[in-house]
Amino acid sequence: MIVRQFELVDFRNYVQASLSLTDHITAVVGDNGQGKTNLVEAIGWMATMSSFRGAPNEALVRVGTDQAIVRAHVEHEDGRMLLIECEINRSGRNRVLVNKQRLQRSRDLLGVLRVSVFAPDDLNLIKGGPGIRRDFLDETLVALRPKYDTDLRDLDRIVRQRNVLLKQVGGRLSADVAFTLDVWDSKLAATGEVIGTARAELLRDLVPLVSAAYRDLVDVDVRIDMVYDPVWRRTGLAVALADNRSDDVRRQLSLIGPHRDEIDIALAAMPARTHASQGEQRSLALAIKLAAHRLVTDRIGSPPLLVLDDVLSELDPRRAAALLQHLPAGQVVLTSADVLPPDAGAATVLRIVRGTVVS
Amino acid sequence: MAAVYAQAVQTLIDELGRLPGIGPKSAQRITFHLLKLPTEDAERLANAIITAKARVRFCEQCFNVSEDELCSICADPRRDQTVLCVVEEARDIIAVERTGEFRGRYHVLMGAISPIDGVGPEQLKIRELLRRLGSDTVQEIILCTNPNVEGEATAMYLARLIKPLGLTVSRIASGLPVGGDLEYADELTLGRALEGRRIVD
């Protein structure tokens, strides 16, 4: 899959912009605050239908307008051209059209266009809370198997319903309510097991790739562990929910399940969050993202579009060079506020000034 | 914001805007359409609403909409008395009836279990359902609730409640639309259809 052309209308600070991407590296340069990240945010939105910056949809629509449009001309492996058009509405539903045909369910777009985004915030994969690591695994799983998105949304809905029920119970469980809670527990257990198994299997395949990617970047052989071993997976979620019920009822909250899981990351057998240096954490985060990118490339058979948003400036020159040298084949969009390193190998350099592409 | 329209016009827009599926712009469009109508047409619509509201009530047995104590389906002696199809809303009956495949009777729950919306089993017509099952004519229950989180939870709740009574309980299948191409089926539907596959005789 190759994204040939990309257009935005009323997206963030862009009134209208159109850019052609090359087969390999396209560099986007410009001073801070001109709209480089906004541009790649729009590309990322088409892959996940959400902002990688975590911004709500209304924040993506240009001030004073009601609707942003993001458009991509995509060439498929078999030579077919796809025109993907997304209308992001300030209020109300978003609309997605593929070759001018409206998708009945907008979320069917997931899996059509795959994008891996590397950004300075990726450091939070190591330093941030468990939710960031869960989201990373889940997003990778959606890229591999779009149906997983439905499991995630079901999980979210079930947990919210179960939490409201626990609040309504107010700490005292009657036989009638226990019968209803049993039903939600069964639903949570069924969906939770699917998600738990998918995450565990993903990590099993991902960890060797992370070690290899880290070695590529820092040229040191060091042991990396990423462990996903929630207590509930040892007994099964159904049993764990039953065992933990009195706690859930007392705290009026669903305390166990995939929505609370942690992924422990260790570098040289020490917890990376507390023991690794800032530089090591940055390289490790980058290695994890690179590994996921390679895994999706292998499984799908073609590389996702790779976005490196202001990543080079965060690395020391040696590691930046190592990253560029080990970039997987495929399309790359690279943004930078600085002058590009000479070995960046960008075929096209686009300059952004105040929301317009000037060259 | 200052009132743009005369009070009566704004009231009509507001009332229409409270209807499901009608946003502020549609409400405005319908209002101006109604204002252009001849008086007798507008009165016919108003009367239709008032008459329907006055005459239509819920069937005492199955909670379908009805003009009598019993709806036309419950009152029809030719309907199969041994099978009961359980649906969330009365409008779901129309969907099932259109298939022409079902000759039994219905039971409308008037919703699905959803704590977020303040709906628990006691807000649904479940007590009434159990009372109907107490009579010995019903032998099979088909759970025809929506294939979403709340509908599935409601179906599971009912199955657990009813199975111990010794009745046959089934759940409608979810799968592929008939007459469509496999190629065009979305992954979710096709995935469900694979899960619910059957042995070919």
mmCIF file of all heavy atoms in Angstrom, chain A residues 201-242:
data_model
loop_
_atom_site.group_PDB
_atom_site.id
_atom_site.type_symbol
_atom_site.label_atom_id
_atom_site.label_comp_id
_atom_site.label_asym_id
_atom_site.label_seq_id
_atom_site.Cartn_x
_atom_site.Cartn_y
_atom_site.Cartn_z
ATOM 1 N N GLU A 201 -0.460 -13.146 23.224
ATOM 2 C CA GLU A 201 0.131 -13.694 22.007
ATOM 3 C C GLU A 201 0.937 -12.644 21.249
ATOM 4 O O GLU A 201 2.001 -12.918 20.707
ATOM 5 C CB GLU A 201 -0.958 -14.280 21.098
ATOM 6 C CG GLU A 201 -1.465 -15.608 21.622
ATOM 7 C CD GLU A 201 -2.630 -16.156 20.809
ATOM 8 O OE1 GLU A 201 -3.088 -15.471 19.862
ATOM 9 O OE2 GLU A 201 -3.078 -17.260 21.146
ATOM 10 N N LEU A 202 0.414 -11.410 21.250
ATOM 11 C CA LEU A 202 1.129 -10.325 20.580
ATOM 12 C C LEU A 202 2.486 -10.107 21.236
ATOM 13 O O LEU A 202 3.509 -10.015 20.557
ATOM 14 C CB LEU A 202 0.313 -9.034 20.617
ATOM 15 C CG LEU A 202 1.035 -7.781 20.106
ATOM 16 C CD1 LEU A 202 1.338 -7.905 18.620
ATOM 17 C CD2 LEU A 202 0.217 -6.522 20.375
ATOM 18 N N LEU A 203 2.500 -10.032 22.573
ATOM 19 C CA LEU A 203 3.763 -9.773 23.279
ATOM 20 C C LEU A 203 4.781 -10.886 23.042
ATOM 21 O O LEU A 203 5.969 -10.624 22.892
ATOM 22 C CB LEU A 203 3.508 -9.615 24.774
ATOM 23 C CG LEU A 203 3.311 -8.186 25.261
ATOM 24 C CD1 LEU A 203 3.241 -8.176 26.773
ATOM 25 C CD2 LEU A 203 4.442 -7.278 24.792
ATOM 26 N N ARG A 204 4.282 -12.120 23.021
ATOM 27 C CA ARG A 204 5.174 -13.252 22.790
ATOM 28 C C ARG A 204 5.943 -13.062 21.470
ATOM 29 O O ARG A 204 7.139 -13.291 21.389
ATOM 30 C CB ARG A 204 4.337 -14.536 22.744
ATOM 31 C CG ARG A 204 5.129 -15.828 22.736
ATOM 32 C CD ARG A 204 4.230 -16.973 22.289
ATOM 33 N NE ARG A 204 3.674 -16.703 20.975
ATOM 34 C CZ ARG A 204 2.490 -17.143 20.546
ATOM 35 N NH1 ARG A 204 1.725 -17.869 21.326
ATOM 36 N NH2 ARG A 204 2.070 -16.857 19.326
ATOM 37 N N ASP A 205 5.235 -12.611 20.433
ATOM 38 C CA ASP A 205 5.876 -12.412 19.135
ATOM 39 C C ASP A 205 6.676 -11.114 19.063
ATOM 40 O O ASP A 205 7.592 -10.981 18.265
ATOM 41 C CB ASP A 205 4.812 -12.393 18.021
ATOM 42 C CG ASP A 205 4.074 -13.712 17.939
ATOM 43 O OD1 ASP A 205 4.605 -14.712 18.475
ATOM 44 O OD2 ASP A 205 2.982 -13.735 17.354
ATOM 45 N N LEU A 206 6.281 -10.145 19.898
ATOM 46 C CA LEU A 206 6.862 -8.804 19.796
ATOM 47 C C LEU A 206 8.225 -8.713 20.489
ATOM 48 O O LEU A 206 9.153 -8.071 19.985
ATOM 49 C CB LEU A 206 5.890 -7.785 20.414
ATOM 50 C CG LEU A 206 6.131 -6.315 20.096
ATOM 51 C CD1 LEU A 206 5.953 -6.040 18.616
ATOM 52 C CD2 LEU A 206 5.175 -5.436 20.910
ATOM 53 N N VAL A 207 8.369 -9.372 21.637
ATOM 54 C CA VAL A 207 9.571 -9.173 22.460
ATOM 55 C C VAL A 207 10.871 -9.483 21.713
ATOM 56 O O VAL A 207 11.819 -8.686 21.779
ATOM 57 C CB VAL A 207 9.446 -9.942 23.797
ATOM 58 C CG1 VAL A 207 10.749 -9.861 24.578
ATOM 59 C CG2 VAL A 207 8.308 -9.359 24.623
ATOM 60 N N PRO A 208 10.962 -10.607 20.985
ATOM 61 C CA PRO A 208 12.214 -10.841 20.250
ATOM 62 C C PRO A 208 12.525 -9.720 19.252
ATOM 63 O O PRO A 208 13.690 -9.350 19.072
ATOM 64 C CB PRO A 208 11.952 -12.159 19.502
ATOM 65 C CG PRO A 208 10.790 -12.785 20.169
ATOM 66 C CD PRO A 208 9.995 -11.702 20.813
ATOM 67 N N LEU A 209 11.456 -9.165 18.634
ATOM 68 C CA LEU A 209 11.661 -8.077 17.682
ATOM 69 C C LEU A 209 12.123 -6.802 18.383
ATOM 70 O O LEU A 209 12.906 -6.032 17.838
ATOM 71 C CB LEU A 209 10.374 -7.804 16.900
ATOM 72 C CG LEU A 209 9.868 -8.930 15.988
ATOM 73 C CD1 LEU A 209 8.511 -8.585 15.403
ATOM 74 C CD2 LEU A 209 10.875 -9.191 14.872
ATOM 75 N N VAL A 210 11.639 -6.589 19.611
ATOM 76 C CA VAL A 210 12.062 -5.408 20.374
ATOM 77 C C VAL A 210 13.552 -5.519 20.688
ATOM 78 O O VAL A 210 14.307 -4.561 20.530
ATOM 79 C CB VAL A 210 11.245 -5.264 21.686
ATOM 80 C CG1 VAL A 210 11.792 -4.127 22.540
ATOM 81 C CG2 VAL A 210 9.764 -5.023 21.375
ATOM 82 N N SER A 211 13.973 -6.710 21.127
ATOM 83 C CA SER A 211 15.391 -6.903 21.437
ATOM 84 C C SER A 211 16.257 -6.627 20.212
ATOM 85 O O SER A 211 17.283 -5.947 20.305
ATOM 86 C CB SER A 211 15.633 -8.353 21.905
ATOM 87 O OG SER A 211 14.952 -8.560 23.116
ATOM 88 N N ALA A 212 15.824 -7.134 19.064
ATOM 89 C CA ALA A 212 16.596 -6.928 17.829
ATOM 90 C C ALA A 212 16.644 -5.451 17.462
ATOM 91 O O ALA A 212 17.700 -4.922 17.096
ATOM 92 C CB ALA A 212 15.978 -7.744 16.697
ATOM 93 N N ALA A 213 15.501 -4.774 17.585
ATOM 94 C CA ALA A 213 15.450 -3.350 17.220
ATOM 95 C C ALA A 213 16.324 -2.519 18.163
ATOM 96 O O ALA A 213 16.997 -1.578 17.746
ATOM 97 C CB ALA A 213 14.006 -2.849 17.250
ATOM 98 N N TYR A 214 16.317 -2.876 19.437
ATOM 99 C CA TYR A 214 17.128 -2.139 20.415
ATOM 100 C C TYR A 214 18.616 -2.312 20.097
ATOM 101 O O TYR A 214 19.391 -1.363 20.138
ATOM 102 C CB TYR A 214 16.814 -2.638 21.830
ATOM 103 C CG TYR A 214 17.369 -1.751 22.923
ATOM 104 C CD1 TYR A 214 16.730 -0.567 23.283
ATOM 105 C CD2 TYR A 214 18.544 -2.098 23.602
ATOM 106 C CE1 TYR A 214 17.231 0.258 24.275
ATOM 107 C CE2 TYR A 214 19.063 -1.280 24.595
ATOM 108 C CZ TYR A 214 18.392 -0.101 24.932
ATOM 109 O OH TYR A 214 18.897 0.715 25.917
ATOM 110 N N ARG A 215 18.972 -3.538 19.724
ATOM 111 C CA ARG A 215 20.360 -3.818 19.361
ATOM 112 C C ARG A 215 20.759 -2.978 18.135
ATOM 113 O O ARG A 215 21.834 -2.399 18.084
ATOM 114 C CB ARG A 215 20.511 -5.317 19.051
ATOM 115 C CG ARG A 215 21.901 -5.863 19.274
ATOM 116 C CD ARG A 215 21.887 -7.388 19.355
ATOM 117 N NE ARG A 215 21.005 -7.999 18.375
ATOM 118 C CZ ARG A 215 20.038 -8.878 18.666
ATOM 119 N NH1 ARG A 215 19.840 -9.245 19.906
ATOM 120 N NH2 ARG A 215 19.285 -9.386 17.707
ATOM 121 N N ASP A 216 19.866 -2.900 17.171
ATOM 122 C CA ASP A 216 20.140 -2.087 15.980
ATOM 123 C C ASP A 216 20.414 -0.635 16.357
ATOM 124 O O ASP A 216 21.280 0.023 15.781
ATOM 125 C CB ASP A 216 18.938 -2.110 15.028
ATOM 126 C CG ASP A 216 18.792 -3.446 14.328
ATOM 127 O OD1 ASP A 216 19.752 -4.243 14.394
ATOM 128 O OD2 ASP A 216 17.728 -3.685 13.746
ATOM 129 N N LEU A 217 19.663 -0.122 17.319
ATOM 130 C CA LEU A 217 19.748 1.292 17.652
ATOM 131 C C LEU A 217 20.955 1.637 18.504
ATOM 132 O O LEU A 217 21.623 2.636 18.281
ATOM 133 C CB LEU A 217 18.482 1.733 18.411
ATOM 134 C CG LEU A 217 17.208 1.923 17.591
ATOM 135 C CD1 LEU A 217 16.049 2.239 18.524
ATOM 136 C CD2 LEU A 217 17.385 3.048 16.582
ATOM 137 N N VAL A 218 21.232 0.820 19.526
ATOM 138 C CA VAL A 218 22.273 1.207 20.486
ATOM 139 C C VAL A 218 23.522 0.332 20.388
ATOM 140 O O VAL A 218 24.513 0.604 21.062
ATOM 141 C CB VAL A 218 21.750 1.191 21.942
ATOM 142 C CG1 VAL A 218 20.562 2.103 22.081
ATOM 143 C CG2 VAL A 218 21.401 -0.221 22.374
ATOM 144 N N ASP A 219 23.428 -0.727 19.555
ATOM 145 C CA ASP A 219 24.606 -1.553 19.327
ATOM 146 C C ASP A 219 25.099 -2.232 20.606
ATOM 147 O O ASP A 219 26.298 -2.414 20.787
ATOM 148 C CB ASP A 219 25.729 -0.704 18.698
ATOM 149 C CG ASP A 219 26.528 -1.529 17.698
ATOM 150 O OD1 ASP A 219 26.064 -2.638 17.381
ATOM 151 O OD2 ASP A 219 27.584 -1.067 17.267
ATOM 152 N N VAL A 220 24.181 -2.527 21.511
ATOM 153 C CA VAL A 220 24.544 -3.237 22.738
ATOM 154 C C VAL A 220 23.564 -4.390 22.893
ATOM 155 O O VAL A 220 22.375 -4.218 22.642
ATOM 156 C CB VAL A 220 24.411 -2.313 23.978
ATOM 157 C CG1 VAL A 220 24.777 -3.080 25.252
ATOM 158 C CG2 VAL A 220 25.276 -1.079 23.826
ATOM 159 N N ASP A 221 24.084 -5.558 23.271
ATOM 160 C CA ASP A 221 23.196 -6.686 23.485
ATOM 161 C C ASP A 221 22.754 -6.683 24.933
ATOM 162 O O ASP A 221 23.552 -6.870 25.835
ATOM 163 C CB ASP A 221 23.944 -7.994 23.163
ATOM 164 C CG ASP A 221 23.049 -8.935 22.388
ATOM 165 O OD1 ASP A 221 21.818 -8.735 22.423
ATOM 166 O OD2 ASP A 221 23.577 -9.857 21.748
ATOM 167 N N VAL A 222 21.462 -6.412 25.152
ATOM 168 C CA VAL A 222 20.990 -6.339 26.523
ATOM 169 C C VAL A 222 19.632 -7.025 26.590
ATOM 170 O O VAL A 222 18.877 -7.035 25.624
ATOM 171 C CB VAL A 222 20.921 -4.863 26.992
ATOM 172 C CG1 VAL A 222 19.999 -4.054 26.121
ATOM 173 C CG2 VAL A 222 20.504 -4.769 28.446
ATOM 174 N N ARG A 223 19.359 -7.621 27.718
ATOM 175 C CA ARG A 223 18.124 -8.375 27.848
ATOM 176 C C ARG A 223 16.935 -7.425 28.046
ATOM 177 O O ARG A 223 16.978 -6.513 28.866
ATOM 178 C CB ARG A 223 18.242 -9.306 29.051
ATOM 179 C CG ARG A 223 16.982 -10.081 29.269
ATOM 180 C CD ARG A 223 17.151 -11.099 30.359
ATOM 181 N NE ARG A 223 15.809 -11.562 30.718
ATOM 182 C CZ ARG A 223 15.594 -12.484 31.624
ATOM 183 N NH1 ARG A 223 16.605 -13.020 32.271
ATOM 184 N NH2 ARG A 223 14.356 -12.852 31.896
ATOM 185 N N ILE A 224 15.888 -7.660 27.260
ATOM 186 C CA ILE A 224 14.674 -6.871 27.407
ATOM 187 C C ILE A 224 13.507 -7.812 27.701
ATOM 188 O O ILE A 224 13.333 -8.828 27.026
ATOM 189 C CB ILE A 224 14.379 -6.054 26.125
ATOM 190 C CG1 ILE A 224 15.469 -5.000 25.936
ATOM 191 C CG2 ILE A 224 13.005 -5.400 26.188
ATOM 192 C CD1 ILE A 224 15.459 -4.348 24.584
ATOM 193 N N ASP A 225 12.756 -7.489 28.728
ATOM 194 C CA ASP A 225 11.559 -8.269 29.037
ATOM 195 C C ASP A 225 10.335 -7.372 28.984
ATOM 196 O O ASP A 225 10.368 -6.227 29.452
ATOM 197 C CB ASP A 225 11.653 -8.871 30.452
ATOM 198 C CG ASP A 225 12.809 -9.847 30.580
ATOM 199 O OD1 ASP A 225 12.738 -10.907 29.955
ATOM 200 O OD2 ASP A 225 13.789 -9.523 31.302
ATOM 201 N N MET A 226 9.278 -7.897 28.401
ATOM 202 C CA MET A 226 7.976 -7.232 28.480
ATOM 203 C C MET A 226 7.012 -8.301 28.952
ATOM 204 O O MET A 226 6.746 -9.258 28.230
ATOM 205 C CB MET A 226 7.559 -6.682 27.115
ATOM 206 C CG MET A 226 8.472 -5.564 26.633
ATOM 207 S SD MET A 226 8.085 -5.053 24.936
ATOM 208 C CE MET A 226 6.598 -4.100 25.164
ATOM 209 N N VAL A 227 6.526 -8.138 30.166
ATOM 210 C CA VAL A 227 5.758 -9.219 30.778
ATOM 211 C C VAL A 227 4.308 -8.793 30.978
ATOM 212 O O VAL A 227 4.023 -7.771 31.609
ATOM 213 C CB VAL A 227 6.380 -9.634 32.136
ATOM 214 C CG1 VAL A 227 5.552 -10.749 32.772
ATOM 215 C CG2 VAL A 227 7.819 -10.075 31.923
ATOM 216 N N TYR A 228 3.422 -9.583 30.399
ATOM 217 C CA TYR A 228 1.990 -9.366 30.582
ATOM 218 C C TYR A 228 1.462 -10.595 31.300
ATOM 219 O O TYR A 228 1.295 -11.647 30.694
ATOM 220 C CB TYR A 228 1.322 -9.197 29.219
ATOM 221 C CG TYR A 228 -0.181 -9.115 29.258
ATOM 222 C CD1 TYR A 228 -0.823 -8.014 29.824
ATOM 223 C CD2 TYR A 228 -0.971 -10.133 28.728
ATOM 224 C CE1 TYR A 228 -2.206 -7.945 29.854
ATOM 225 C CE2 TYR A 228 -2.349 -10.061 28.752
ATOM 226 C CZ TYR A 228 -2.963 -8.972 29.314
ATOM 227 O OH TYR A 228 -4.326 -8.889 29.351
ATOM 228 N N ASP A 229 1.282 -10.494 32.599
ATOM 229 C CA ASP A 229 0.886 -11.664 33.368
ATOM 230 C C ASP A 229 -0.113 -11.268 34.464
ATOM 231 O O ASP A 229 0.169 -11.393 35.646
ATOM 232 C CB ASP A 229 2.143 -12.312 33.995
ATOM 233 C CG ASP A 229 1.810 -13.612 34.690
ATOM 234 O OD1 ASP A 229 0.772 -14.223 34.348
ATOM 235 O OD2 ASP A 229 2.571 -14.005 35.591
ATOM 236 N N PRO A 230 -1.277 -10.746 34.063
ATOM 237 C CA PRO A 230 -2.244 -10.354 35.091
ATOM 238 C C PRO A 230 -2.693 -11.578 35.894
ATOM 239 O O PRO A 230 -2.810 -12.669 35.335
ATOM 240 C CB PRO A 230 -3.406 -9.766 34.292
ATOM 241 C CG PRO A 230 -3.245 -10.254 32.905
ATOM 242 C CD PRO A 230 -1.783 -10.536 32.706
ATOM 243 N N VAL A 231 -2.923 -11.372 37.170
ATOM 244 C CA VAL A 231 -3.263 -12.484 38.063
ATOM 245 C C VAL A 231 -4.512 -13.232 37.562
ATOM 246 O O VAL A 231 -4.589 -14.456 37.644
ATOM 247 C CB VAL A 231 -3.475 -11.948 39.507
ATOM 248 C CG1 VAL A 231 -3.943 -13.058 40.432
ATOM 249 C CG2 VAL A 231 -2.182 -11.332 40.026
ATOM 250 N N TRP A 232 -5.447 -12.485 36.995
ATOM 251 C CA TRP A 232 -6.704 -13.137 36.582
ATOM 252 C C TRP A 232 -6.497 -14.172 35.476
ATOM 253 O O TRP A 232 -7.283 -15.092 35.320
ATOM 254 C CB TRP A 232 -7.757 -12.122 36.168
ATOM 255 C CG TRP A 232 -7.443 -11.246 34.975
ATOM 256 C CD1 TRP A 232 -6.955 -9.972 34.996
ATOM 257 C CD2 TRP A 232 -7.635 -11.570 33.583
ATOM 258 N NE1 TRP A 232 -6.809 -9.491 33.720
ATOM 259 C CE2 TRP A 232 -7.221 -10.440 32.837
ATOM 260 C CE3 TRP A 232 -8.107 -12.695 32.895
ATOM 261 C CZ2 TRP A 232 -7.263 -10.412 31.428
ATOM 262 C CZ3 TRP A 232 -8.145 -12.674 31.503
ATOM 263 C CH2 TRP A 232 -7.723 -11.527 30.789
ATOM 264 N N ARG A 233 -5.406 -14.044 34.700
ATOM 265 C CA ARG A 233 -5.217 -14.994 33.604
ATOM 266 C C ARG A 233 -4.775 -16.361 34.123
ATOM 267 O O ARG A 233 -4.808 -17.351 33.393
ATOM 268 C CB ARG A 233 -4.206 -14.459 32.586
ATOM 269 C CG ARG A 233 -4.758 -13.278 31.787
ATOM 270 C CD ARG A 233 -4.019 -13.065 30.490
ATOM 271 N NE ARG A 233 -4.385 -14.054 29.492
ATOM 272 C CZ ARG A 233 -3.528 -14.719 28.731
ATOM 273 N NH1 ARG A 233 -2.243 -14.520 28.856
ATOM 274 N NH2 ARG A 233 -3.944 -15.590 27.855
ATOM 275 N N ARG A 234 -4.348 -16.441 35.381
ATOM 276 C CA ARG A 234 -3.918 -17.735 35.912
ATOM 277 C C ARG A 234 -5.127 -18.616 36.230
ATOM 278 O O ARG A 234 -5.094 -19.819 36.047
ATOM 279 C CB ARG A 234 -3.075 -17.532 37.161
ATOM 280 C CG ARG A 234 -1.771 -16.811 36.811
ATOM 281 C CD ARG A 234 -0.966 -16.464 38.046
ATOM 282 N NE ARG A 234 0.034 -15.441 37.703
ATOM 283 C CZ ARG A 234 0.727 -14.786 38.602
ATOM 284 N NH1 ARG A 234 0.563 -15.016 39.894
ATOM 285 N NH2 ARG A 234 1.604 -13.862 38.225
ATOM 286 N N THR A 235 -6.218 -17.996 36.708
ATOM 287 C CA THR A 235 -7.403 -18.793 37.048
ATOM 288 C C THR A 235 -8.476 -18.697 35.966
ATOM 289 O O THR A 235 -9.421 -19.469 35.958
ATOM 290 C CB THR A 235 -8.030 -18.276 38.349
ATOM 291 O OG1 THR A 235 -8.329 -16.869 38.177
ATOM 292 C CG2 THR A 235 -7.100 -18.464 39.525
ATOM 293 N N GLY A 236 -8.337 -17.741 35.081
ATOM 294 C CA GLY A 236 -9.429 -17.402 34.155
ATOM 295 C C GLY A 236 -10.214 -16.255 34.755
ATOM 296 O O GLY A 236 -10.360 -16.150 35.988
ATOM 297 N N LEU A 237 -10.720 -15.373 33.901
ATOM 298 C CA LEU A 237 -11.379 -14.163 34.400
ATOM 299 C C LEU A 237 -12.689 -14.471 35.122
ATOM 300 O O LEU A 237 -13.037 -13.799 36.102
ATOM 301 C CB LEU A 237 -11.605 -13.167 33.244
ATOM 302 C CG LEU A 237 -12.100 -11.774 33.616
ATOM 303 C CD1 LEU A 237 -11.297 -11.133 34.733
ATOM 304 C CD2 LEU A 237 -12.106 -10.860 32.387
ATOM 305 N N ALA A 238 -13.413 -15.503 34.680
ATOM 306 C CA ALA A 238 -14.693 -15.829 35.325
ATOM 307 C C ALA A 238 -14.470 -16.163 36.798
ATOM 308 O O ALA A 238 -15.166 -15.645 37.680
ATOM 309 C CB ALA A 238 -15.368 -16.997 34.604
ATOM 310 N N VAL A 239 -13.477 -17.000 37.056
ATOM 311 C CA VAL A 239 -13.170 -17.398 38.435
ATOM 312 C C VAL A 239 -12.669 -16.196 39.230
ATOM 313 O O VAL A 239 -13.083 -15.952 40.361
ATOM 314 C CB VAL A 239 -12.109 -18.528 38.451
ATOM 315 C CG1 VAL A 239 -11.644 -18.826 39.871
ATOM 316 C CG2 VAL A 239 -12.669 -19.785 37.790
ATOM 317 N N ALA A 240 -11.776 -15.412 38.598
ATOM 318 C CA ALA A 240 -11.194 -14.265 39.290
ATOM 319 C C ALA A 240 -12.277 -13.241 39.664
ATOM 320 O O ALA A 240 -12.250 -12.662 40.755
ATOM 321 C CB ALA A 240 -10.133 -13.615 38.408
ATOM 322 N N LEU A 241 -13.244 -13.040 38.780
ATOM 323 C CA LEU A 241 -14.321 -12.083 39.069
ATOM 324 C C LEU A 241 -15.163 -12.577 40.241
ATOM 325 O O LEU A 241 -15.557 -11.787 41.118
ATOM 326 C CB LEU A 241 -15.209 -11.874 37.840
ATOM 327 C CG LEU A 241 -14.627 -11.000 36.730
ATOM 328 C CD1 LEU A 241 -15.481 -11.086 35.477
ATOM 329 C CD2 LEU A 241 -14.509 -9.539 37.189
ATOM 330 N N ALA A 242 -15.437 -13.885 40.265
ATOM 331 C CA ALA A 242 -16.219 -14.453 41.368
ATOM 332 C C ALA A 242 -15.459 -14.297 42.683
ATOM 333 O O ALA A 242 -16.031 -13.885 43.695
ATOM 334 C CB ALA A 242 -16.527 -15.918 41.087
#
